[in-house]
Amino acid sequence: MNTPAKLTGFVTAVAAVFGIALLVGATVGPVEEQTEDPAASAHDAGHGDDTASGDAAETPAVEEIPGGLMTYRNGYALALAETDLGSGEDRNLTFAINGPGGAPVTDFDVTHDKELHLIAVRRDFTGFQHVHPVLDENTGIWSVDVDLTPGTWRVFTDFTPTGGEPLTLGTDLAVAGEFVPAAPQADNRTATVDDYEVTLDGDLSSGSDAMLTLTVSKDGRPLTDLQPYLGAYGHLVALRGGDLAYLHVHPDGTPGDGTTRPGPEVVFHTSVPSAGTYHLYLDFQHDGVVRTAAFTLTAGGTGEVQPGSGTHGDHSHSGR
């Protein structure tokens, strides 16, 4: 991997050619902080100089870090052009995914109809947006418009680099203005969006699989004509309370497979990495419009809610 100095030089050169003031601080900073091997750290902390005595065999397994908690992972880095923006509608967010060699990546696999999915949500779990940036293949720079209110936001990029593994990288974005925090959200299993009502049935528990059934109705009538969105009849994102660990799930079946019905029920199978509060966001499409229903659930179990406590990686998919 290039040294920070070389990486800075490369990015600066790209910026000079294309007229973009871009990425240097955000790219270089996290790389050195997050390259430490978690397994090695746990081994050293747990045993010190006792490893020669054979105690290494008793080293506990290091659990996988959930998605979205890291800006840099497996050689890939999420680099925002600006880490602070003004509030308002249609604010342009620009970024790159830098690869193991330091250069912006331009080749991605299509997953759920898109090469990259971007999730933006304020850290009080309001303002959720799921959008799809446009890539400039000449520079490797992505751009998309998002609506921002004052406060600290978390930005997630969900992608699969060609030849690599699926990744979810996350970073914070500061939005200027007077911040008015939302009230803590109590558990809710019913969400109303415009004339639509969505109900959620099922429970979350750490360490076990869960089936979540979301039922969509309009004006009291169960819908049987949901439209495909990103290759499915629904798209669900779950964020853990506190650290916003990211869990990405998808429903059973595929539109047009002869068995999956277009509503009113959309069924998901997933598991959560720990006990605690989870905020879930369902995107569904009807009459050509994508709407988002938000829920809050408390997961049972014995796991502590903290970074690195999860048992899953970046994705838990059904029917991926």
Side-chain angles (χ1 to χ4, degrees):
M1 183 173 181
N2 288 346
T3 63
K6 291 180 179 179
L7 176 54
T8 300
F10 173 85
V11 176
T12 303
V14 171
V17 172
F18 294 97
I20 301 172
L22 186 65
L23 312 180
V24 176
T27 304
V28 174
V31 172
E32 295 302 323
E33 297 173 6
Q34 301 185 47
T35 53
E36 184 178 20
D37 181 358
S41 299
H43 183 279
D44 293 341
H47 295 281
D49 295 332
D50 293 334
T51 54
S53 65
D55 290 342
E58 299 176 6
T59 302
V62 176
E63 295 177 335
E64 185 69 20
I65 298 174
L69 295 179
M70 301 176 69
T71 302
Y72 173 86
R73 193 169 190 179
N74 295 350
Y76 294 88
L78 165 60
L80 298 182
E82 298 177 83
T83 57
D84 57 90
L85 289 174
S87 62
E89 297 181 355
D90 298 330
R91 306 298 297 181
N92 187 251
L93 183 66
T94 306
F95 63 96
I97 303 296
N98 292 331
V105 179
T106 57
D107 294 322
F108 298 84
D109 292 344
V110 173
T111 305
H112 306 298
D113 294 346
K114 300 292 181 179
E115 289 186 319
L116 185 143
H117 301 258
L118 185 139
I119 304 296
V121 64
R122 208 168 69 170
R123 274 195 168 269
D124 60 359
F125 300 98
T126 63
F128 177 90
Q129 295 161 74
H130 175 179
V131 294
H132 301 102
V134 175
L135 174 66
D136 183 334
E137 296 185 355
N138 293 320
T139 62
I141 296 167
W142 296 85
S143 62
V144 67
D145 289 339
V146 291
D147 298 336
L148 300 172
T149 54
T152 301
W153 287 68
R154 190 69 176 171
V155 175
F156 301 93
T157 52
D158 184 357
F159 62 93
T160 302
T162 299
E165 297 295 323
L167 287 171
T168 301
L169 301 179
T171 192
D172 278 356
L173 173 69
V175 179
E178 183 178 354
F179 171 57
V180 180
Q185 300 172 28
D187 282 20
N188 71 294
R189 293 176 173 271
T190 302
T192 300
V193 187
D194 298 330
D195 297 328
Y196 298 81
E197 183 177 87
V198 185
T199 58
L200 186 155
D201 183 48
D203 295 303
L204 299 174
S205 181
S206 65
S208 62
D209 292 334
M211 184 175 76
L212 302 178
T213 302
L214 292 111
T215 303
V216 185
S217 62
K218 181 180 181 183
D219 298 326
R221 176 181 60 86
L223 287 183
T224 57
D225 59 346
L226 290 173
Q227 297 168 322
Y229 174 62
L230 303 177
Y233 288 124
H235 193 281
L236 186 67
V237 169
L239 301 175
R240 184 168 61 184
D243 62 5
L244 281 79
Y246 179 101
L247 182 66
H248 197 173
V249 295
H250 282 270
D252 281 347
T254 302
D257 62 8
T259 59
T260 304
R261 298 178 179 179
E265 296 181 343
V266 187
V267 178
F268 297 83
H269 294 274
T270 189
S271 58
V272 294
S274 66
T277 300
Y278 286 82
H279 300 265
L280 291 78
Y281 305 87
L282 173 72
D283 290 331
F284 65 95
Q285 182 168 250
H286 188 252
D287 286 344
V289 178
V290 177
R291 296 173 172 85
T292 303
F295 308 88
T296 302
L297 291 182
T298 298
T302 58
E304 296 182 1
V305 182
Q306 60 184 13
S309 66
T311 57
H312 294 272
D314 294 302
H315 298 69
S316 176
H317 283 178
S318 176
R320 181 182 174 93

